[in-house]
Amino acid sequence: MNFAVYRDLLRIRSVRRLLLVGMIARFPHSAAGVLLTLHVVQTLDRGYAEAGAVAAVVTIGIAVGAPWRGRRIDSAGLRRALIPSVVAEAVIWSVAPHLSYQWLLVAALVGGLFTLPAFSVIRQALGVLVDGDRRRTAFTLDAISTEVIFMAGPAVGVVLATQVSTVLGLTLVGIATASAGLFLMWFNPPTRSDQLPDAVTVAASAPAGMNEAAADLIGARNAGTQERRPASVLRRGVRRVLPWITVPLVMVMITAAGAGLLLSGTEVGIVAALEQTGNESQLGLVFVAWCAASVVGGLVYGALHRPIPPSLLLLGMALLTLPMGFAETTLSLALLSIPAGLLCAPVLSAASEKVADLVAEDRRGEAMGWYGSALTSGVALGAPVAGLLIDAVGPWGGFTAVGVVAALIGVAGFLARDLGSRTPAVDTAGASR
């Protein structure tokens, strides 16, 4: 374990600036969730179920739009791809607070579709700027910065909603996000290695056509066996639309969905547990303990010399979430959240690192978009899955439900990881013949 890797990485000016830009670009939306919920409940005088429906619509929009946004970044470049997001963020979230509930649902869907893809852009750029073991450290720093943002963002959102107004708060989120998008366009981080300062030298040393071959290598590495074993119509269709997809990558996406489900379900369980004991005002104490543990776990994971499979980390986090159902006081809940929290940032950084390793960089924007969609879809599923059990048996049922589902995903992902790692070797041998 070597913590000096953080010092060495932060000495790289481009990486340091990119992480800072990422924090600025993500901060507005970290406050948007609680603002939107309080706007529906307080300003529009609706229930929490209706507020949850708005959040679900936004999530659906993000999940659908992320792959398209990623593909646009790959094909048109970062600056041109971000223009629709910058315009939409400023317009939609300036208008949405003044709409009725029904029209707010429509605005939320469109807003989700055109959400500024800050998360995928930052991770894609980090995958270009660093490689090897340093990539793990970079993704860990990115996950840690995200944890810090989501500790502060919701608190700012609550202050705006309670001390000023949700209408002004949502408008400020839209303007701030659009400004962050303009800042990201100005900074224009590299999303492909040929955009780096030394790209000319690298390109000159490579044979003609090597870049094209490398781009298709991972997505088409089963081509050799296809000559000997005809692929199904479905498989051929998937290969045509998503040529970079592989079995290990699919399992990473499923693992990301499991992590999102576990995190959102745990959050709902924490809220329900504190509400049951009448300690809702102490929610911040538990969240700080949970997020702080994630920061510590991320720092340790980023200093390791070898990666840990994300599926194994998810399995560990799921099993460590189960004891949270036994908490009876705020203090015990906060303490029991620490072991699971220690694996939160490592799971997310390990999954991001795996996507970057498995996909060629000129397809990585779309792949990161699908990764974001998988994570977002899991987040959308986690709350209702936990909610069903919470309503039926109590808060412990919510922790148990998401913990068991995530553990099963972790086990399946770990087993399929071994299967997927053997497949390329056979395919490569077939291709060489």
Side-chain angles (χ1 to χ4, degrees):
M1 190 178 299
N2 180 18
F3 288 99
V5 293
Y6 290 106
R7 180 195 60 207
D8 297 337
L9 189 66
L10 290 174
R11 282 178 176 172
I12 303 174
R13 183 185 178 191
S14 57
V15 173
R16 187 172 63 247
R17 291 175 60 188
L18 179 62
L19 291 171
L20 179 61
V21 168
M23 292 185 70
I24 295 172
R26 293 163 174 166
F27 190 84
H29 269 293
S30 68
V34 67
L35 273 170
L36 199 55
T37 298
L38 293 176
H39 177 74
V40 173
V41 173
Q42 295 180 357
T43 306
L44 298 183
D45 196 24
R46 298 275 182 158
Y48 279 97
E50 290 162 304
V54 175
V57 168
V58 173
T59 302
I60 291 170
I62 294 174
V64 172
W68 163 63
R69 311 294 307 159
R71 180 177 294 182
R72 183 65 178 164
I73 291 171
D74 289 338
S75 61
L78 181 63
R79 285 175 172 167
R80 291 178 62 186
L82 291 186
I83 291 174
S85 292
V86 170
V87 175
E89 293 278 10
V91 173
I92 291 173
W93 296 114
S94 297
V95 174
H98 304 280
L99 301 176
S100 65
Y101 177 75
Q102 290 73 18
W103 283 107
L104 178 61
L105 289 170
V106 177
L109 178 62
V110 178
L113 284 170
F114 288 93
T115 293
L116 184 73
F119 286 89
S120 58
V121 168
I122 299 303
R123 289 174 184 147
Q124 186 177 357
L126 282 174
V128 172
L129 289 173
V130 296
D131 55 10
D133 290 341
R134 294 196 306 175
R135 181 177 286 169
R136 183 182 322 119
T137 306
F139 282 131
T140 300
L141 279 175
D142 181 60
I144 290 171
S145 66
T146 301
E147 290 291 346
V148 173
I149 290 170
F150 277 89
M151 279 193 280
V156 173
V158 170
V159 171
L160 284 173
T162 56
Q163 304 300 320
V164 188
S165 75
T166 58
V167 173
L168 179 60
L170 287 172
T171 302
L172 289 176
V173 164
I175 295 174
T177 305
S179 301
L182 290 173
F183 185 45
L184 201 55
M185 291 170 65
W186 169 79
F187 181 59
N188 194 28
T191 55
R192 296 171 64 167
S193 59
D194 56 11
Q195 298 169 355
L196 295 172
D198 58 350
V200 175
T201 303
V202 174
S205 64
M210 182 63 74
N211 290 335
E212 290 79 0
D216 293 329
L217 179 60
I218 297 179
R221 57 188 171 189
N222 293 334
T225 55
Q226 288 176 353
E227 297 177 2
R228 295 178 287 110
R229 184 178 65 250
S232 66
V233 175
L234 177 60
R235 184 176 179 182
R236 289 199 303 270
V238 171
R239 287 291 185 190
R240 188 177 299 112
V241 178
L242 304 172
W244 42 266
I245 203 74
T246 60
V247 172
L249 186 60
V250 169
M251 295 315 303
V252 173
M253 301 293 184
I254 295 175
T255 300
L261 179 144
L262 183 61
L263 291 173
S264 64
T266 301
E267 182 177 344
V268 171
I270 291 173
V271 173
L274 293 178
E275 186 178 19
Q276 186 181 59
T277 58
N279 294 319
E280 303 96 319
S281 61
Q282 299 176 349
L283 182 65
L285 174 63
V286 180
F287 270 50
V288 166
W290 192 31
C291 294
S294 179
V295 171
V296 173
L299 287 171
V300 173
Y301 178 76
L304 296 179
H305 295 294
R306 61 179 64 184
I308 300 175
S311 55
L312 193 59
L313 291 168
L314 175 63
L315 175 60
M317 185 167 69
L319 295 177
L320 291 172
T321 298
L322 296 176
M324 294 176 66
F326 297 105
E328 297 181 352
T329 65
T330 302
L331 180 59
S332 62
L333 184 60
L335 292 175
L336 287 171
S337 72
I338 292 176
L342 287 170
L343 294 179
C344 176
V347 168
L348 299 178
S349 58
S352 298
E353 180 188 8
K354 198 68 176 176
V355 173
D357 289 342
L358 290 172
V359 182
E361 65 180 30
D362 65 344
R363 309 290 176 88
R364 202 173 286 158
E366 184 179 1
M368 283 294 184
W370 281 104
Y371 166 74
S373 293
L375 185 62
T376 303
S377 300
V379 170
L381 287 173
V385 168
L388 286 174
L389 270 293
I390 290 171
D391 291 339
V393 299
W396 70 269
F399 294 118
T400 302
V402 295
V404 169
V405 172
L408 292 174
I409 293 174
V411 171
F414 187 74
L415 296 177
R417 160 186 165 273
D418 292 336
L419 176 64
S421 64
R422 290 194 298 267
T423 304
V426 175
D427 294 341
T428 304
S432 65
R433 288 194 294 269

